[in-house]
DNA sequence: ACCCAGGCGGGCG
DNA sequence: CGCCCGCATGGG
C-alpha cells in the first residue's frame, strides 16, 4: 500500500505516456484500477482518493516478490518524485500555472528503455489509438507466456523476439513503414547495444548513442531518454509541443526544434521533460495552436 | 477525395 | 542549414 499526495492515476495513465500503450486502465467497483505488462509479469493497481492523498493498493502475477513489485510500482509511477520541487521549478508563467492547476497529480512515468524505444518507434507519424493497438498486438503475438502458481499472463516482448520476427509479421501488427526500423533496433538491443550503459551517460552523450540507430531521430531519442531512462532534461519536440510553444512563447512565429530545445533548457533546465508533459497534455486538451481551432 | 497522426532518412539548393 | 518528399494505414 502506498499513500501519496499529488498523484492522479487517470491523468498519469491517459496523458500519452508509454504505460498507456502496454497497460490497461479501467473502472472498478469503488475506484480506478490499472494493470500493466512488463518483462517479468503483470502488475495490478487499485487507487482510492481521499481528501488529502491517494491510496494505492496492488497485486501481481509473475516473477515478482512483494518487495520487487513495490519497487517496480514506485519507479514506474514516479512515486518518489518530489512534486513540491517539480512544481516550483516549472511554474514559470501563466500558461504553465494553468496547466499545473488543471493537471495536478500528473506524474512522469518511467518505463524500461526497451519498452519506451519500441513504443516511440511505433509512434512516428501515428496516432495514440493505433500506437496502443500495435503495442498490444506485439504483446499478444511476441510476448512470452508466464505460467506459474495457477496464473498465466503475457509478458512484454523481448528485443530478441521482435528482432527475429519477419517484416510481414511486424506489419501485420499495424506498424506500416516503421517495421524495418523496429526490427533493426530490436536486433541492436538484443545484442551489441548496451542499453544499460546509457544510464551512466549524460543526456547529450546518451542521445548520440541512441540516434546512431536507423529510425531513432531527435524526437524519438528524447522520448526514450525521458520515458525510458528518466532523464528529465529531455524535451521531446513533436508537432504538438512545437505548436504550443510557438503559440504561447513565440507569438505564433515558426520556430525550429533547435531553438525550442534551447528555449526549454534555459527556462526549465533539469525539469524540462516535466514541463513538456504538462505543455503537451494541457495544450492538446485545449487544442492550442492547432489549425481550425 | 483530402488531411492528419507524439517522425525519420535522404536528397537538393 | 532549411525545405520537401516518400513512407503505411486508419480515422475524421
Amino acid at each position: 500500500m502506498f499513500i501519496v499526495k499529488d498523484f492522479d492515476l487517470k491523468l498519469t495513465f491517459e496523458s500519452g505516456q508509454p504505460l498507456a500503450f502496454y497497460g490497461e486502465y479501467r473502472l472498478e467497483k469503488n475506484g480506478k484500477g490499472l494493470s500493466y505488462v512488463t518483462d517479468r509479469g503483470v502488475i495490478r493497481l487499485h487507487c482510492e482518493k481521499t481528501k488529502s492523498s491517494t491510496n494505492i493498493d496492488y497485486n501481481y502475477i509473475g516473477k515478482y516478490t512483494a518487495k520487487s513489485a513495490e519497487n517496480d510500482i514506485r519507479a514506474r509511477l514516479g512515486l518518489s518524485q518530489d512534486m513540491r520541487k517539480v512544481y516550483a521549478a516549472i511554474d514559470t508563467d501563466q500558461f504553465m500555472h494553468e496547466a499545473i492547476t488543471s493537471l495536478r497529480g500528473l506524474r512522469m512515468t518511467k518505463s524500461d528503455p526497451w519498452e519506451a524505444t519500441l513504443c516511440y518507434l511505433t509512434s512516428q507519424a501515428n496516432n495514440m489509438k493505433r500506437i496502443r493497438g500495435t503495442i498490444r498486438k506485439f504483446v499478444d503475438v511476441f510476448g512470452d507466456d508466464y505460467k506459474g502458481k495457477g496464473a498465466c499472463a503475457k509478458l512484454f516482448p523481448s528485443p530478441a523476439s521482435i528482432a527475429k520476427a519477419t517484416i510481414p509479421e511486424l506489419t501485420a501488427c499495424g506498424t506500416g513503414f516503421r517495421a524495418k526500423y523496429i526490427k533493426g533496433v530490436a536486433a541492436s538491443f538484443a545484442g551489441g547495444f548496451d542499453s544499460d550503459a546509457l544510464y551512466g551517460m549524460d543526456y547529450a552523450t546518451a542521445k548520440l548513442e541512441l540516434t546512431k540507430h536507423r529510425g531513432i531521430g531527435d524526437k524519438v531519442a528524447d522520448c526514450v531518454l525521458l520515458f525510458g531512462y528518466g532523464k528529465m532534461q529531455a524535451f521531446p519536440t513533436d508537432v504538438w509541443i512545437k505548436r504550443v510553444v510557438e503559440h504561447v512563447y513565440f507569438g505564433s512565429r515558426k520556430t525550429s526544434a533547435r531553438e525550442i530545445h534551447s528555449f526549454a533548457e534555459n527556462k526549465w533546465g533539469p525539469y524540462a521533460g516535466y514541463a513538456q508533459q504538462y505543455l503537451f497534455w494541457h495544450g492538446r486538451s485545449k487544442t492550442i495552436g492547432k489549425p481550425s481551432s
Side-chain angles (χ1 to χ4, degrees):
Chain A
M1 168 80 91
F2 298 90
I3 301 174
V4 288
K5 292 184 177 179
D6 289 325
F7 178 80
D8 187 301
L9 184 67
K10 184 180 171 68
L11 278 174
T12 299
F13 181 77
E14 293 186 336
S15 57
Q17 304 190 241
L19 204 55
F21 300 144
Y22 55 86
E24 189 76 50
Y25 180 79
R26 66 194 183 286
L27 275 170
E28 290 180 349
K29 289 174 221 161
N30 300 312
K32 304 285 186 178
L34 172 67
S35 64
Y36 61 81
V37 180
T38 75
D39 60 350
R40 285 184 289 170
V42 179
I43 304 265
R44 290 203 176 86
L45 307 173
H46 180 83
C47 283
E48 300 278 356
K49 275 208 168 184
T50 68
K51 281 169 294 197
S52 59
S53 63
T54 301
N55 299 339
I56 306 173
D57 220 338
Y58 65 90
N59 56 59
Y60 54 89
I61 297 169
K63 309 165 201 167
Y64 282 106
T65 62
K67 188 64 188 170
S68 67
E70 185 182 313
N71 289 339
D72 191 281
I73 294 162
R74 185 181 292 110
R76 282 173 188 273
L77 298 184
L79 299 182
S80 298
Q81 292 159 7
D82 183 344
M83 295 309 290
R84 181 186 295 270
K85 208 172 187 178
V86 168
Y87 288 138
I90 68 174
D91 192 357
T92 50
D93 57 84
Q94 180 59 32
F95 187 82
M96 283 302 297
H97 192 76
E98 271 178 36
I100 292 166
T101 303
S102 166
L103 303 177
R104 184 166 289 276
L106 195 173
R107 301 259 182 155
M108 289 304 302
T109 63
K110 159 73 178 71
S111 297
D112 286 345
W114 161 243
E115 292 166 3
T117 301
L118 184 59
C119 287
Y120 287 100
L121 279 173
T122 302
S123 80
Q124 54 184 269
N126 210 341
N127 60 66
M128 299 272 203
K129 186 180 173 187
R130 232 159 61 92
I131 296 163
R132 185 160 191 241
T134 294
I135 299 301
R136 292 164 68 81
K137 280 180 194 163
F138 279 157
V139 173
D140 286 343
V141 175
F142 301 110
D144 287 338
D145 290 301
Y146 169 81
K147 284 173 189 149
K149 298 175 189 165
C152 60
K154 276 289 182 185
L155 302 178
F156 195 90
S158 66
S161 70
I162 299 291
K164 73 184 180 194
T166 65
I167 296 294
E169 284 171 338
L170 294 174
T171 53
C173 296
T175 61
F177 64 90
R178 310 160 192 86
K180 57 184 179 296
Y181 298 148
I182 290 168
K183 185 174 168 68
V185 174
S188 176
F189 272 71
F193 178 62
D194 181 4
S195 61
D196 282 340
L198 273 63
Y199 280 111
M201 298 178 191
D202 62 68
Y203 163 71
T205 308
K207 190 166 178 175
L208 280 177
E209 291 303 312
L210 285 172
T211 52
K212 283 177 182 171
H213 296 87
R214 286 285 151 262
I216 301 184
D218 186 73
K219 192 273 178 179
V220 170
D222 271 329
C223 284
V224 171
L225 291 169
L226 179 59
F227 297 106
Y229 287 94
K231 292 187 187 292
M232 295 288 179
Q233 64 269 61
F235 192 85
T237 304
D238 69 336
V239 290
W240 276 100
I241 286 295
K242 192 169 186 302
R243 278 199 290 255
V244 171
V245 170
E246 285 171 353
H247 183 266
V248 176
Y249 299 109
F250 285 85
S252 297
R253 171 170 70 79
K254 286 267 288 177
T255 309
S256 68
R258 176 181 297 276
E259 193 174 349
I260 289 174
H261 276 121
S262 164
F263 169 80
E265 185 183 347
N266 290 330
K267 195 171 176 71
W268 298 296
Y271 293 95
Y274 236 107
Q276 178 270 169
Q277 193 61 22
Y278 275 69
L279 287 173
F280 175 73
W281 202 239
H282 189 56
R284 276 180 70 117
S285 75
K286 299 180 72 168
T287 61
I288 284 181
K290 193 178 185 182
S292 75
S293 74

